[in-house]
Amino acid sequence: MKILATIWKESILLVRDLGGMSLIFLMPLALVIVMALIQDNSFEIMQESRLEVLFVDEDADALGQRIAQALQASPNIHLIKNLKGRPLTAKTAERLVRAGDYKAALIIPEKASITLRKKVEETAGGLFAHYGFGSVTSSVKASPPIDLQILFDPAIKPNYRQALTGAVEKMTTSVQATWLMDDIQRRLGEATGRGGKTIDFSEMIHVRQNDASSDDAGGMALNAVQHNVPAWSMFAMFFILFPLAGNFIKEREEGSMLRLRLISGSQSPVIAGKFLFYLGVCLLQLVLMIGVGLYVMPLFGLSKLALGANHVGIVLTGLAVAMAATGYGLLIAVYFITPQQALSFGAISVVILAAIGGVWVPVFAMPPIMQKLSPFSPLNWGLSAFNHLFLRSASTAAILPDLAKLLFFSCATLAASLLIHRSRIVL
Amino acid sequence: MIQSPIITAFGLKKTYRGASKPAVDDLSFDVRQKEIFGLLGPNGAGKSTTLMMLCGLIKMDAGSMEVLGLDVRQNGAEVRRRIGVAPQEIALFPTMTAYENLVYFSRMYGLPGTAIRETVLEYLGVFGLADKSSQRVATFSGGMKRRLNLVAALLHRPQLLILDEPTSGVDVQSRRMILDYMRRLQAEGVTILYSSHLLDEAEKVCSRFVILDEGRRIAAGALAEILAANGGSDNLEQMFLHLTGRGVRD
């Protein structure tokens, strides 16, 4: 009854505090959208999104086509063959890469296919001659290698350079092997009178790629929406201390807290009522922020928030973060005497905890010293749990350590708040 | 007929941490049933500290106090359950209406849900606030706030009412209404401990007094006894100035 009465009273006070309402609901929504828009490009770069490669096909034959086909199939490479409706030349490509307009260019030289066919014939013929099935018609060594050229912008990241070189080498090796096998089969057919047999090299070794997620929902890369929605939701939830501490200290200064202390048995219900009310507000904030991620962010050209498959885990994490945020807000409220002290300390401390916790910049992008500090922030525990759930569809068991830390933090701050509140002299 | 004491304070002493001298020092008094007892003194005399010790919200360093037959040190919660306190501050929520404030405090007092509306409307009517019940307290005049502050202490119908400066900053009509209601409560059997620095007002409503200055008792008893014992002054104010001098106290 007393707890419900306090929740009812707190709801009236908050609804009539338009500044507080906008601070905890409107501003975080604006903040999360702005931050996601600002960081969208940075995350794309960080996540090594598609590399644009200028493709100059001076060969205009089978080898060039096969390489182009293979690179186009790669999700991380975007081949550009024409610019302004005209086919690229080696000279133009070189100029554009040198100017830094593009990071890389691949040049397939003229007559590369013809040369490769000739080299294949020479190699197969030499092989057959070696085993007494014919004579060597020409010298393999006399023919120079085909000179495929990849031009790189010196500023390109090493992993881009490695990935493109690897892809081209893999493709050329495959073409060489296939063509060589075809030629050997043709020669064997001619010698034995039997037809050819198709050989699929991919059946010999199969490289399987699996995401190490806990179920079939798979995983996804971190992007601006996936990072910013949970990160700034938690930031907003911890900022609950503004209305919480503001109202609490105002009640103490104005005397209504004294009256409540003079009412027997009201202290625990007052604290519990405040805690539960602001817990509910925090959860409402989270729901709104997730709603923005799902329905509003796509309107701004951002990707839609992916929640993963463990919705129970999301509810538990939301609850644990809300409890930690409310407990922290209560501690600030009861500890400090004036609103100025409480709100200044509260705001700065939340900003620091958010920065350490990976809200502003993801932890993996922080310097090593900050990465060591990160596990001490409750916002990091929450963010870690949300990332497990959203990106990897983790099971509830996987996020239990983070939830346990958040719950411990909440219980500790709540207990400290009660002790300090009871020991305060009210005069 | 002499009534039995409802409050017995003996040798109370309280020194706040860091203070050079006690806020209350060796204070003894008793309050009898159904009387209006004046706890008087200038600002900083130790009145509020005494009231908070009485409510069990501040621990006394020395002495003892019984309220309604209960030792305050051991039964502070039970004491608070039986008394009503109207603090000197307007201890209300300014952005809530008068009705909402009283409903909230009624619930915190643990009043049954069915009785709350009836009780709240009754008191709003008695104190001339019925037509203002849906207005926010922030829009009230000083007198209206003070009356509502008193109502909030009466909702659970306490046996002992403690009023700290109940007429501070109010107009003549509000003061008259509050003082008249104090007499009405006394007639109904409620004991009132009235704390104030307004000595002339205290003379009109209180049957007995204890007067404090700088934490110490300087006079106690009925008006006639006090005046007779202190050089035959005409009134409390004259007597007080005679005992303490004309220097300011805070």
Side-chain angles (χ1 to χ4, degrees):
Chain A
M1 174 77 169
K2 290 182 181 181
I3 293 176
L4 286 178
T6 304
I7 291 173
W8 171 75
K9 183 264 290 182
E10 291 295 335
S11 67
I12 291 176
L13 295 183
L14 184 64
V15 165
R16 290 178 188 166
D17 177 9
L18 292 179
M21 287 279 279
S22 64
L23 184 76
I24 58 177
F25 289 120
L26 289 182
M27 289 182 71
L29 296 184
L31 185 65
V32 72
I33 294 170
V34 169
M35 292 306 289
L37 285 168
I38 288 171
Q39 293 186 357
D40 194 35
N41 195 39
S42 308
F43 268 92
E44 276 190 16
I45 292 167
M46 230 168 3
Q47 292 303 325
E48 298 168 359
S49 56
R50 298 180 83 191
L51 173 65
E52 290 191 322
V53 178
L54 299 175
F55 187 74
V56 183
D57 187 6
E58 292 179 333
D59 176 45
D61 201 342
L63 180 63
Q65 285 166 10
R66 288 289 301 276
I67 291 173
Q69 216 171 11
L71 292 178
Q72 276 167 337
S74 165
N76 298 323
I77 294 172
H78 174 53
L79 277 193
I80 298 169
K81 293 178 178 174
N82 301 298
L83 274 180
K84 296 176 184 171
R86 296 170 65 182
L88 276 165
T89 63
K91 210 172 168 183
T92 313
E94 196 176 337
R95 180 175 52 79
L96 289 171
V97 173
R98 192 174 292 142
D101 295 340
Y102 292 89
K103 296 291 176 198
L106 173 59
I107 300 164
I108 314 291
E110 218 176 332
K111 296 180 181 169
S113 296
I114 294 170
T115 310
L116 181 61
R117 277 193 200 101
K118 196 175 165 192
K119 289 176 87 58
V120 162
E121 276 179 21
E122 288 167 353
T123 304
L127 195 65
F128 269 69
H130 178 74
Y131 290 104
F133 290 103
S135 58
V136 180
T137 53
S138 61
S139 167
V140 175
K141 286 176 187 171
S143 175
I146 302 159
D147 195 17
L148 252 66
Q149 198 186 358
I150 309 176
L151 295 171
F152 285 112
D153 176 0
I156 194 171
K157 288 168 79 176
N159 48 351
Y160 277 137
R161 182 189 289 261
Q162 212 168 12
L164 183 60
T165 310
V168 171
E169 281 176 351
K170 178 188 166 191
M171 200 57 232
T172 51
T173 305
S174 167
V175 170
Q176 280 176 62
T178 308
W179 286 13
L180 188 60
M181 189 56 68
D182 288 348
D183 195 86
I184 290 170
Q185 282 208 60
R186 182 181 59 77
R187 286 169 191 271
L188 285 171
E190 284 171 6
T192 61
R194 294 184 182 175
K197 184 179 185 312
T198 307
I199 297 168
D200 184 357
F201 291 103
S202 67
E203 282 186 356
M204 294 182 186
I205 298 174
H206 185 208
V207 180
R208 205 150 46 106
Q209 290 189 41
N210 277 345
D211 290 325
S213 59
S214 59
D215 57 27
D216 293 339
M220 65 175 299
L222 190 64
N223 61 35
V225 173
Q226 294 301 130
H227 170 73
N228 281 296
V229 171
W232 294 104
S233 297
M234 288 193 306
F235 186 75
M237 287 157 87
F238 270 80
F239 255 81
I240 201 75
L241 71 87
F242 260 78
L244 201 169
N247 282 342
F248 196 96
I249 294 171
K250 203 159 50 169
E251 286 173 14
R252 205 162 55 204
E253 287 181 336
E254 288 172 353
S256 46
M257 188 63 77
L258 172 61
R259 186 186 293 285
L260 289 170
R261 295 191 74 147
L262 289 165
I263 298 174
S264 180
S266 66
Q267 289 315 290
S268 297
V270 164
I271 296 288
K274 282 179 182 290
F275 183 83
L276 289 173
F277 173 74
Y278 283 102
L279 182 76
V281 172
C282 282
L283 289 174
L284 187 58
Q285 282 180 306
L286 180 64
V287 169
L288 285 175
M289 299 284 262
I290 286 177
V292 165
L294 290 172
Y295 304 111
V296 179
M297 288 195 169
L299 302 177
F300 288 89
L302 296 163
S303 58
K304 184 179 176 180
L305 178 69
L307 294 176
N310 186 357
H311 294 170
V312 174
I314 295 172
V315 172
L316 291 176
T317 306
L319 199 59
V321 173
M323 286 175 72
T326 313
Y328 186 66
L330 260 180
L331 184 61
I332 298 286
V334 299
Y335 182 75
F336 289 97
I337 304 296
T338 68
Q340 289 80 7
Q341 289 173 341
L343 301 184
S344 305
F345 179 88
I348 292 169
S349 65
V350 169
V351 168
I352 291 172
L353 288 174
I356 294 171
V359 168
W360 299 84
V361 177
V363 176
F364 66 79
M366 288 181 184
I369 179 81
M370 296 310 290
Q371 289 189 22
K372 282 182 185 164
L373 285 176
S374 203
F376 294 100
S377 166
L379 281 92
N380 177 260
W381 309 331
L383 196 54
S384 162
F386 277 125
N387 282 344
H388 277 311
L389 294 165
F390 290 175
L391 303 178
R392 300 172 199 102
S393 278
S395 65
T396 304
I399 57 166
L400 275 182
D402 289 324
L403 296 190
K405 282 187 262 183
L406 286 165
L407 288 178
F408 175 78
F409 181 82
S410 174
C411 292
T413 49
L414 188 59
S417 305
L418 271 170
L419 283 175
I420 294 170
H421 180 59
R422 284 175 185 278
S423 67
R424 277 261 186 265
I425 291 174
V426 285
L427 283 178
Chain B
M1 188 180 80
I2 296 174
Q3 301 286 340
S4 57
I6 207 161
I7 299 173
T8 308
F10 180 76
L12 298 183
K13 183 168 184 176
K14 176 69 188 177
T15 306
Y16 290 111
R17 202 186 308 165
S20 58
K21 57 181 184 177
V24 173
D25 191 10
D26 195 24
L27 175 64
S28 300
F29 65 94
D30 64 86
V31 179
R32 297 170 194 157
Q33 274 188 13
K34 299 179 186 177
E35 76 170 333
I36 300 178
F37 184 88
L39 180 65
L40 310 179
N43 295 334
K47 302 189 298 291
S48 294
T49 300
T50 304
L51 293 182
M52 289 304 112
M53 284 194 283
L54 192 155
C55 300
L57 291 184
I58 293 180
K59 287 180 182 169
M60 58 194 90
D61 298 334
S64 64
M65 188 178 302
E66 274 194 10
V67 177
L68 298 163
L70 298 164
D71 185 333
V72 172
R73 285 196 216 227
Q74 291 167 6
N75 304 289
E78 184 56 32
V79 168
R80 287 194 293 277
R81 198 184 311 279
R82 296 198 201 173
I83 65 174
V85 185
Q88 184 175 355
E89 299 87 0
I90 302 297
L92 301 163
F93 299 100
T95 55
M96 289 167 73
T97 67
Y99 181 79
E100 288 165 347
N101 265 284
L102 296 183
V103 167
Y104 175 60
F105 288 119
S106 299
R107 287 175 177 165
M108 297 311 286
Y109 280 124
L111 263 59
T114 48
I116 288 175
R117 184 180 160 77
E118 196 183 324
T119 307
V120 167
L121 292 178
E122 178 198 327
Y123 278 117
L124 286 171
V126 168
F127 282 90
L129 296 168
D131 59 336
K132 304 286 191 300
S133 66
S134 57
Q135 276 187 21
R136 293 187 192 183
V137 172
T139 66
F140 278 18
S141 68
M144 289 158 72
K145 284 179 186 170
R146 191 58 72 183
R147 272 139 57 199
L148 193 64
N149 200 41
L150 175 57
V151 172
L154 296 169
L155 292 163
H156 60 309
R157 302 188 195 280
Q159 294 169 256
L160 169 64
L161 185 63
I162 296 169
L163 306 177
D164 193 1
E165 308 281 2
T167 57
S168 173
V170 303
D171 56 26
V172 176
Q173 287 81 1
S174 288
R175 172 172 293 152
R176 171 61 62 89
M177 181 179 272
I178 290 168
L179 296 181
D180 285 350
Y181 197 77
M182 283 168 61
R183 292 190 189 98
R184 182 176 147 185
L185 286 171
Q186 183 192 20
E188 290 172 1
V190 176
T191 307
I192 298 172
L193 178 56
Y194 164 90
S195 169
S196 179
H197 65 279
L198 302 173
L199 303 182
D200 55 337
E201 184 180 285
E203 276 184 38
K204 291 174 192 161
V205 291
C206 297
S207 51
R208 295 192 310 127
F209 313 85
V210 61
I211 302 176
L212 308 182
D213 187 41
E214 296 185 329
R216 298 185 67 87
R217 189 176 90 167
I218 57 170
L223 181 63
E225 293 168 11
I226 293 178
L227 294 179
N230 291 283
S233 304
D234 292 336
N235 54 48
L236 284 177
E237 186 173 325
Q238 209 176 62
M239 182 217 73
F240 187 80
L241 291 174
H242 169 71
L243 288 176
T244 62
R246 291 180 178 272
V248 292
R249 281 290 179 273
D250 57 1

